[in-house]
Amino acid sequence: QKFVFPRKGLIITALLGGVYSSTATTVVLARKSKDADAPINQIISGIIMATGMMFIRVFILSYIFNRGLATKLIIPFSILTALTFAIGLLILK
């Protein structure tokens, strides 16, 4: 992360962390925000984008276990995912 994406490391961390656990990612990024040199807009954006990844993760799990439910969730989850990523990108700029 430091060599390939030196300025976007927090965002990539948030996206990958959101795949695993958006709650854990939120806690880690919130603790990181206490650093004096932490880029607060990247931290806020990362937290929001980790939440967006949660919708994708929950949709995939619902598709695996209950495809009927997943078909009902695809539109609301798509909207929520797009909304969280759009807000995250707006805050990032």
Side-chain angles (χ1 to χ4, degrees), residues 5-69:
F5 302 105
R7 301 193 68 178
K8 303 293 182 200
L10 283 175
I11 301 303
I12 292 171
T13 301
L15 291 173
L16 293 175
V19 170
Y20 173 71
S21 172
S22 56
T23 304
T25 303
T26 299
V27 170
V28 168
L29 290 176
R31 288 182 182 159
K32 188 163 186 68
S33 71
K34 293 180 183 179
D35 294 342
D37 60 341
I40 195 70
N41 64 329
Q42 287 185 14
I43 291 172
I44 294 169
S45 179
I47 290 171
I48 293 170
M49 289 184 179
T51 302
M53 292 303 289
M54 173 201 62
F55 294 121
I56 295 170
R57 183 183 72 239
V58 170
F59 173 76
I60 291 169
L61 288 172
S62 67
Y63 185 79
I64 291 169
F65 292 108
N66 189 343
R67 290 186 183 167
L69 177 63

